[in-house]
Amino acid sequence: MVASGAISAAGKGLALNSNGTVFEIKGASYDYDFAGNGIFASTSNSQHRSCYDASTGVFFDTYNVDGGLGGNVCTVDTANGTVFPTAKVINSTGNTPDCYYDSGQSKVVVVYRGASNYVYARVVTTTNNGAGSAPSFVYTGETYLNSGPSAEYCSCTYDSVTGKGLALYQASSGTVYGVVLSVSGTSISVGSTFTITTAVVNNYNARPRAVAVPGNKFVVCWYGTGTSTKLVVVNISGTTLSISGSVINSGSGTRPCVVWHSGISRVCLTHVQGTSRFYRSLSISGNTLTNVGSLTVTQSSDPESVPGWEYSPEANVVGFFYIKNIANNIIYPRFHSIDFGTDGSTIIQSAEGDAGGNQSGLRIGVSLSYNPVLKIFQAFKGDTAGFTWGSFAIYPSFTNLLSTTLMAGISNAAAANGATTQVSVQGSTNSNFTSLQIGAKYWINDTGSFNTSDTGFQQFGTAFSATTMLMTEAWTV
C-alpha cells in the first residue's frame, strides 16, 4: 500500500483513504507536508492577513510594506505548485490591514488604517488565469468607515448567513468600535458605528479580533484591562449591532485570536502569556460564553507575533502558524495542528513543524488561510528581505475515522510520504510490539496508541504474545 503522509514506525495503526492509500492514525498529529518557502515580494513587510477566494481558487494576502499597504494573490494546484504575480501597493499610507472573503458577492474585502489614521475598506476582485499562470486582482476606490476617533489597529470578519462583514477598530482612548459592511458588486455600504468595549489596554497587544458564529452573532475578543483576554457575543440585525450578554474573562493573555470550530460548535481561542502561546475552547449558548477546560500551552513563541489561526472542517483540526521565539534576531516560524477533541475540553497538539526554516529578520504578523478543495493551509510570513509562502497539506484527523474511514491494518515499517509500505491486515499477525498482555484485546485510542480498555474507537485485535498482535476484527466504522 502507498503511504499518504509519513508512517513513523512499525506497529502503528493505519487507516484507508478513499483512493486506496493509507495513513497513520494519531489524532491531531497527522502528517503534513510543508511546500515552498518561495519569495512572494522583494520589499520589507509585516503584519500579514490573508483569505481564500472560493469563487476563483485564489489566495489573497495583504500586509504592511515599505511604501504603504500591499496586496498579492496566489494559486495552488497539484501540478504546478504555487504561482505569484507582481505585488501591488494598494494604498500609499495604509497599514494594519485585514481581509475577508464575501461568499455572497464572490469578492474579497480589505480593511485597513489609512490617511489621518481613519479606517477604510476596498473591494478586491481576483482572477484565476489557469494552471501554471499567475493570477491577478483589481481593487476599487476607498470607502470611508469611520469619522473618528483615529484608529490604532483594525480587523474584520464575515458572516455568510447574514452576508455581512464586521470591521473592528481600536482607538487610542482604549475603546473598540464595530461597524457592519454590506457589499454589492464592487460597492460597500457602511452601518452605524457601535461601541463594543471601552476597557481595552491601549497598546499593540490588544488587537481586537472577531469570528462569526451561528445565530446571527459574532464573538469579539480583545486584551482588556486587568491584563486578561476578554470576549463577548455581539448580535447583528441588518446593519445594526447590539450586545445583551456579559463579557467573559478567559485568562491572562495578550494578542488574542478566535476561530469557529463547526465540528464541535465551539469558539477556539489562542493568546500570549509571557513567551508562550496558549489555547482553549469556549461554548456558546444564546449570548453567554463559557470557558471549556483549561488553557493549554504550546512551545514558546514570540509574544510580538500575531499568529495564523484557521479551522479545517475536512481534517477537523485548527491550524496554528506562529513565530516560535527570537534569539539573536534569528526567527523560527512554526506550525502545529490542534485537535480539540469531541467537546473542546481534550486538546491534542501535533508535533511542532518547521515552517520554512530559521530566518534572520522575520517581521511580526503571520497569516494562515485554508483551501477546502485541496485541503491545504496556506501560510504567509514577512521579513526584511521580502516575504515568503508555504503550504501545509492536510491529512485526515483521527476524529473523522468514526464516520468515514476503513481501518487498513498495522504498519510493518516506517515509510515516507508516497512510499510503498507493507501492512498487516485482518487475519494476519504483526510482531512489532513490546509488553503486550497475552490474550488481551486491544483498541486504538485518540493518540494512535493501543489500549486494553474500550476507548470508544476501533478495536484492532488480540495479543498473541508479548510482541505479537493477531488482527481478528472486521475493521469498519
Side-chain angles (χ1 to χ4, degrees):
M1 296 182 177
V2 176
S4 176
I7 297 172
S8 61
K12 299 297 182 180
L14 305 178
L16 188 67
N17 286 313
S18 60
N19 63 0
T21 61
V22 294
F23 63 93
E24 183 178 340
I25 301 167
K26 48 182 178 177
S29 298
Y30 60 81
D31 285 289
Y32 50 84
D33 292 333
F34 180 77
N37 199 31
I39 296 297
F40 198 171
S42 59
T43 54
S44 178
N45 59 92
S46 63
Q47 299 192 32
H48 289 256
R49 301 295 294 169
S50 59
C51 63
Y52 177 67
D53 186 336
S55 66
T56 60
V58 171
F59 288 100
F60 177 82
D61 182 55
T62 184
Y63 48 90
N64 288 357
V65 65
D66 291 348
L69 175 72
N72 212 326
V73 285
C74 73
T75 55
V76 183
D77 60 81
T78 55
N80 296 286
T82 304
V83 181
F84 299 97
T86 303
K88 296 182 181 180
V89 174
I90 296 176
N91 182 273
S92 60
T93 60
N95 55 41
T96 67
D98 201 356
C99 61
Y100 65 82
Y101 171 62
D102 185 323
S103 58
Q105 296 294 310
S106 299
K107 301 292 183 184
V108 171
V109 177
V110 183
V111 174
Y112 57 95
R113 184 178 68 170
S116 301
N117 290 334
Y118 293 151
V119 182
Y120 301 84
R122 294 179 188 260
V123 173
V124 174
T125 303
T126 71
T127 300
N128 190 330
N129 295 310
S133 299
S136 56
F137 73 97
V138 295
Y139 53 87
T140 62
E142 292 182 324
T143 298
Y144 190 50
L145 303 190
N146 72 316
S147 57
S150 63
E152 296 290 323
Y153 301 97
C154 55
S155 65
C156 59
T157 192
Y158 176 73
D159 178 19
S160 61
V161 176
T162 61
K164 305 294 185 183
L166 173 66
L168 301 174
Y169 64 95
Q170 171 193 337
S172 58
S173 61
T175 299
V176 171
Y177 298 95
V179 61
V180 175
L181 307 183
S182 304
V183 175
S184 178
T186 57
S187 299
I188 302 175
S189 58
V190 182
S192 301
T193 301
F194 176 74
T195 300
I196 293 175
T197 179
T198 58
V200 171
V201 174
N202 181 32
N203 61 33
Y204 56 81
N205 286 312
R207 294 184 181 272
R209 300 287 185 191
V211 64
V213 300
N216 299 350
K217 304 175 190 297
F218 297 96
V219 171
V220 179
C221 67
W222 65 91
Y223 174 47
T225 53
T227 64
S228 62
T229 293
K230 310 286 188 181
L231 302 97
V232 72
V233 176
V234 177
N235 296 281
I236 177 173
S237 177
T239 59
T240 301
L241 299 172
S242 63
I243 294 175
S244 57
S246 300
V247 174
I248 185 174
N249 182 344
S250 195
S252 176
T254 67
R255 299 291 182 94
C257 293
V258 285
V259 69
W260 175 248
H261 191 312
S262 59
I264 57 174
S265 298
R266 296 284 189 267
V267 175
C268 295
L269 165 74
T270 180
H271 65 200
V272 167
Q273 292 184 24
T275 60
S276 296
R277 272 273 167 191
F278 285 73
Y279 32 75
R280 77 179 330 154
S281 71
L282 298 93
S283 63
I284 181 171
S285 177
N287 294 303
T288 301
L289 290 163
T290 303
N291 291 316
V292 176
S294 58
L295 288 163
T296 300
V297 66
T298 67
Q299 298 181 36
S300 61
S301 67
D302 169 22
E304 297 295 310
S305 172
V306 177
W309 187 239
E310 190 72 22
Y311 174 64
S312 162
E314 285 75 20
N316 205 38
V317 296
V318 176
F320 181 39
F321 181 52
Y322 63 104
I323 297 173
K324 181 179 179 181
N325 56 31
I326 296 179
N328 298 321
N329 202 34
I330 303 299
I331 316 302
Y332 305 84
R334 294 294 186 260
F335 179 84
H336 279 289
S337 58
I338 314 297
D339 188 335
F340 281 85
T342 57
D343 63 357
S345 62
T346 303
I347 297 176
I348 307 169
Q349 61 178 320
S350 72
E352 181 182 63
D354 184 346
N358 306 333
Q359 299 177 2
S360 176
L362 189 70
R363 304 287 285 275
I364 64 172
V366 296
S367 70
L368 195 69
S369 296
Y370 183 68
N371 179 338
V373 178
L374 295 179
K375 300 179 179 60
I376 60 169
F377 288 110
Q378 185 77 357
F380 302 93
K381 61 185 186 293
D383 58 39
T384 54
F387 66 88
T388 56
W389 60 271
S391 298
F392 300 97
I394 302 306
Y395 299 101
S397 73
F398 184 77
T399 51
N400 284 344
L401 299 178
L402 294 178
S403 60
T404 63
T405 307
L406 298 176
M407 301 300 104
I410 299 176
S411 61
N412 284 302
N417 178 36
T420 299
T421 183
Q422 292 186 346
V423 180
S424 299
V425 298
Q426 183 182 2
S428 64
T429 59
N430 188 292
S431 299
N432 293 290
F433 297 93
T434 59
S435 304
L436 295 178
Q437 299 177 28
I438 299 174
K441 292 182 178 180
Y442 278 84
W443 285 259
I444 198 165
N445 66 19
D446 57 3
T447 64
S449 300
F450 292 99
N451 196 295
T452 56
S453 300
D454 188 344
T455 61
F457 295 103
Q458 186 62 52
Q459 183 181 336
F460 264 67
T462 302
F464 186 73
S465 71
T467 59
T468 302
M469 186 182 297
L470 173 64
M471 275 67 76
T472 59
E473 302 303 315
W475 296 330
T476 58
V477 290

